[in-house]
């Protein structure tokens, strides 16, 4: 395919240069990220006979997938056709309709239809890899079938789960086991810096940095982004520390466009603790699916009269309702509500992960309501990509949460995320294989656009944009500004303040001499967070309406006449994230 290729981690290390702090390796395809989307892609690439290298910031089994509690939304029976009906009256078309309803007018119908139709095959593939899902008796003959539950926004019992509330952990275990058994090589504790591109803009590799600060380059004609979300933009999130928006930032610097960044889904029920920041334990939506209800400090129902589905309304509705409710500080409490699950029989067996997290916080969910609050959970937008992972940048693909395929629109339907990563991951692998087979790949050693020939092993070489695309504000300043002014409930004044705070923080960091400082994983992540925060603020400022996860208190109504469309953002020649129309004007 693309020159000398390694087939194991040791082979990759053996092919690196020992001269100085620089090294090189080669593969047919590099996959950035080792969650469900990344490993699904890598495993399918191996099936297609391609040499793939997985690069991950943490350990092989780290990432956001293992924290997913709810499950996989999938219609399992009669799923071959768009209207196939399973036991209980569910169908692929009903799943698609629920997805579109949650997406508040911004889902792309073709993308929705393609992805939800792939649910049955995705589940079957996982089971082939050894994943074990919960079962329940079917009928009076004692037969067993996969257990299904219901979550917010779903009109039927279609969410399958594992270990009660440990679906993500089981999915990750099965995929890691399959990848290990299939000899998929992985570079752990390496963060991607930039795509390496030819002068024409085609991908020919990626520069990476290990945890000691040693830079290297992996030559490959195909690069798959599976880097996850951007939850660390906010002070409180359900996401792990790895979710710093690296893939979105890398794609922008490579010339790709992003869309729907303003739609960040806040999960309404994350375990509350006074003053807590960083990743917080999730209280899965399935708890409400089994009958739990949200109440305030006085015991009053939070969702009464808010939505026909009450506590099972879509997440954006529930999160916004909680924030509005807390504005009145019922019972003197203005920063959290309670999830009353005391009426659920067998809670400990059904939700062992939630119970363990509660007990660690000194809460007994069987006997007392669980204190909860909304926290940043899922990025509905990301790198513009098709349901086959392809982006407009030749050789660049995006899958999973980092991608914007058109499935989620303005708000994600519960448990559609694992579905998307699994389905699109395998489709993207097929697209990569077809692309590499149909055209002559660029061979290793390509020169990054706008750089000199020796730049391929520089720790930050490949961006052809201005220095603004690489500036890093202190993470604490970014998180405080985004949590205060760009979370649930935004307005023009607050978003302007957020933009000013980011600019001042960058200026302060620049004045301290950090621009010339050595690149480290932390600095790479902070630069990504800064760039993505600026892009999100730009998108949220421009969208003068409320829709899905994007709630503008100064424009509280949905405006289909003007805003039933997505916004795309790209980098201007000066390195600033701007709406695509503005970028075109600046370039002209």
């Amino acid at each position: 395919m693309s020159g000398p290729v390694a087939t194991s981690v040791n082979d990759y290390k053996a092919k690196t240069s020992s001269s100085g702090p620089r090294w090189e390796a080669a593969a047919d395809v590099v996959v950035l990220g080792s969650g469900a989307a990344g490993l699904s892609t890598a495993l399918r690439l191996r099936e297609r006979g391609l040499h793939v290298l997985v690069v991950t910031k943490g350990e092989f089994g780290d990432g956001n997938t293992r924290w997913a509690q709810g499950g996989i939304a999938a219609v399992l029976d009669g799923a071959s056709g768009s209207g196939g009906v399973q036991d209980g009256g569910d169908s692929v078309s009903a799943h698609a309709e629920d997805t579109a309803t949650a997406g508040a007018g911004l889902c792309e119908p073709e993308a929705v239809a393609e992805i939800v139709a792939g649910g049955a095959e995705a589940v079957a593939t996982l089971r082939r890899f050894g994943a074990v899902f919960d079962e329940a008796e079917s009928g009076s003959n004692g037969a067993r079938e996969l257990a299904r539950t219901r979550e917010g926004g779903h009109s039927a019992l279609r969410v399958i789960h594992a270990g009660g509330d440990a679906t993500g952990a089981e999915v990750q275990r099965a995929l890691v086991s399959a990848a290990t058994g299939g000899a998929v090589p992985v570079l752990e504790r390496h963060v991607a810096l930039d795509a390496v591109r030819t002068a024409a803009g085609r991908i020919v590799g990626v520069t990476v940095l290990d945890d000691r600060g040693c830079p290297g380059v992996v030559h490959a004609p195909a690069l798959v982004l599976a880097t996850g979300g951007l939850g660390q933009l906010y002070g409180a999130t359900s996401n792990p520390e790895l979710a710093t928006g690296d893939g979105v930032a890398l794609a922008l610097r490579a010339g790709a466009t992003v869309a729907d960044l303003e739609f960040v889904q806040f999960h309404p029920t994350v375990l509350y603790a006074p003053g807590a920041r960083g990743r917080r334990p999730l209280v899965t939506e399935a708890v409400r699916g089994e009958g739990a209800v949200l109440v305030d400090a006085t015991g009053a129902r939070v969702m009464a009269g808010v939505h026909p589905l009450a506590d099972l309304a879509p997440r954006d509705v529930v999160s916004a309702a909680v924030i509005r409710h807390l504005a009145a500080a019922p019972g003197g409490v203005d920063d959290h509500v309670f999830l009353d699950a005391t009426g659920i029989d067998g809670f400990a067996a059904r939700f062992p992960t939630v119970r363990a997290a509660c007990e660690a916080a000194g809460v007994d969910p069987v006997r007392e309501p669980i204190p909860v609050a909304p926290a940043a959970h899922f990025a509905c937008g990301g790198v513009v990509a098709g349901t086959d992972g392809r982006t407009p940048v030749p050789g660049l693909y995006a899958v999973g949460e980092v991608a914007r395929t058109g499935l989620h629109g303005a708000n994600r339907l519960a448990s559609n995320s694992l579905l998307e990563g699994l389905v699109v991951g395998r489709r993207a692998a097929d697209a990569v294989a077809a692309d590499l087979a149909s055209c002559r790949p660029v061979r290793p050693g390509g020169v990054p656009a706008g750089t000199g020939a020796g730049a391929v092993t520089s720790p930050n070489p490949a961006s052809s944009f201005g220095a603004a695309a690489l500036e890093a504000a202190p993470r604490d300043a970014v998180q405080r500004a985004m949590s205060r002014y760009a979370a649930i409930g935004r307005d023009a004044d607050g978003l302007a303040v957020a933009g000013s705070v980011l600019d001042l923080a960058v200026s302060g960091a620049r004045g301290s001499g950090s621009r010339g400082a050595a690149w480290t994983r932390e600095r790479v992540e902070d630069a990504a967070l800064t760039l993505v925060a600026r892009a999100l603020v730009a998108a949220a400022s421009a969208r003068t309406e409320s829709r899905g996860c994007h709630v503008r208190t100064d424009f509280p109504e949905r405006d289909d006449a003007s805003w039933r469309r997505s916004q795309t953002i790209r980098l201007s020649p000066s390195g600033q994230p701007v709406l695509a129309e503005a970028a075109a004007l600046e370039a002209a």
Side-chain angles (χ1 to χ4, degrees):
M1 284 287 180
S2 56
V5 174
T7 57
S8 72
V9 175
N10 288 333
D11 288 337
Y12 277 101
K13 292 178 179 178
K15 293 178 187 296
T16 63
S17 170
S18 60
S19 59
R22 300 171 179 175
W23 55 267
E24 297 183 57
D28 291 330
V29 191
V30 174
V31 176
L32 300 181
S34 58
L39 291 184
S40 292
T41 306
L43 286 164
R44 181 59 175 165
L45 287 167
R46 288 288 292 177
E47 291 175 5
R48 297 297 302 264
L50 294 172
H51 296 288
V52 57
L53 172 65
V54 174
V55 178
T56 181
K57 286 200 298 183
E59 304 291 334
F60 199 14
D62 290 346
N64 208 15
T65 293
R66 66 192 181 102
W67 300 108
Q69 293 180 355
I72 303 170
V75 178
L76 302 181
D77 302 321
S80 58
S82 62
V85 177
Q86 70 171 26
D87 293 340
D90 195 14
S91 66
V92 171
S93 59
H95 185 181
E97 183 177 349
D98 289 346
T99 298
T101 299
L106 292 191
C107 295
E108 294 186 2
E110 290 184 1
V112 172
E114 291 176 10
I115 293 173
V116 301
E121 182 180 356
V123 172
T125 299
L126 282 174
R127 298 181 80 180
R128 177 166 58 86
F129 288 150
V132 178
F133 295 100
D134 296 340
E135 296 182 341
E137 288 189 6
S138 175
S140 58
N141 59 1
R144 309 281 296 177
E145 66 174 19
L146 292 183
R148 303 181 179 104
T149 191
R150 182 183 174 195
E151 295 183 356
H154 288 277
S155 60
L157 297 167
R158 69 168 67 99
V159 179
I160 69 167
H161 47 83
D165 57 359
T167 308
E170 175 60 13
V171 169
Q172 186 73 11
R173 182 204 63 77
L175 291 174
V176 167
S177 176
T180 302
V184 174
V186 57
L187 286 180
E188 297 179 310
R189 298 177 296 281
H190 283 69
V191 62
L193 296 168
D194 265 326
V196 181
R197 295 171 290 136
T198 65
R202 183 177 181 84
I203 299 295
V204 290
V206 60
T207 52
V208 299
L209 191 74
D210 70 13
D211 54 1
R212 299 168 299 169
C214 176
V217 60
V218 183
H219 301 288
L223 176 62
V224 181
L225 303 178
T227 52
L230 41 82
Q232 291 295 324
L233 277 178
Y234 297 91
T237 177
S238 64
N239 291 191
E241 293 183 357
L242 302 174
T244 51
D246 306 347
V248 172
L250 184 150
L252 282 169
R253 294 195 297 266
T257 56
V258 300
D260 296 339
L261 282 189
E262 64 268 42
F263 301 110
V264 178
Q265 184 182 83
F266 280 69
H267 197 291
T269 55
V270 171
L271 187 63
Y272 168 83
R277 300 189 67 187
R279 195 194 77 80
R280 300 297 304 148
L282 189 69
V283 180
T284 173
E285 196 160 3
V287 176
R288 281 178 284 134
E290 297 291 341
V293 296
L294 288 162
V295 298
D296 62 24
T298 70
R301 292 279 298 272
V302 173
M303 294 302 297
V306 174
H307 189 276
L309 292 176
D311 292 88
L312 285 176
R315 288 174 177 171
D316 62 313
V317 175
V318 179
S319 292
V322 169
I323 295 299
R324 289 196 305 269
H325 197 87
L326 289 174
V333 177
D334 64 356
D335 58 356
H336 68 283
V337 292
F338 298 88
L339 184 64
D340 188 353
T342 56
I344 298 178
D345 292 333
F347 183 94
R350 176 65 178 86
F351 302 108
T353 305
V354 173
R355 183 182 183 185
C358 289
E359 290 182 343
V363 177
D364 183 354
V366 175
R367 294 181 172 80
E368 59 184 318
I370 306 167
V372 295
H377 184 55
F378 189 87
C380 297
V383 182
V384 176
T387 56
D388 55 9
R390 290 186 176 103
T391 78
V393 177
L396 183 67
Y397 307 79
V399 297
E401 191 174 353
V402 73
R404 182 270 186 197
T405 61
L407 173 67
H408 304 301
N411 181 46
R412 176 180 69 107
L413 181 66
S415 289
N416 267 358
S417 54
L418 286 177
L419 169 73
E420 180 186 36
L422 296 165
V423 173
V424 178
R426 292 182 67 82
R427 289 173 60 97
D430 290 339
V432 170
D435 291 347
L436 293 182
S438 64
C439 64
R440 182 179 179 182
V442 178
R443 299 189 70 80
V447 180
T451 67
V456 287
T457 54
S458 168
N460 191 48
S463 178
S464 59
F465 297 99
L470 303 170
E471 292 176 317
R475 187 174 308 194
D476 183 68
V478 173
Q479 291 178 336
R480 289 183 183 279
M482 297 299 288
S483 299
R484 174 65 179 83
Y485 301 110
I488 302 175
R490 308 159 174 172
D491 60 31
D493 291 341
L495 290 167
V497 171
S500 297
V501 170
L502 291 171
D503 291 342
L504 289 171
V506 166
S507 296
R510 188 187 307 148
S512 68
S514 64
R515 175 178 288 181
W519 283 89
T520 63
R521 168 178 157 177
E522 182 179 5
R523 190 178 173 207
V524 172
E525 292 177 335
D526 288 352
L529 286 170
T530 302
L531 180 57
V532 174
R534 283 173 154 170
L536 193 157
V537 168
S541 298
R543 185 173 288 277
T544 52
E545 66 156 357
S546 290
R547 181 186 298 269
C549 302
H550 174 68
V551 178
R552 286 282 297 260
T553 56
D554 50 350
F555 292 96
E557 301 301 321
R558 175 168 154 174
D559 181 3
D560 280 342
S562 301
W563 284 109
R564 193 165 182 172
R565 58 183 174 85
S566 292
Q567 298 181 102
T568 55
I569 288 180
R570 65 189 320 154
L571 289 192
S572 70
S574 62
Q576 294 286 354
V578 295
L579 297 181
E581 296 84 353
L585 288 174
E586 183 177 337

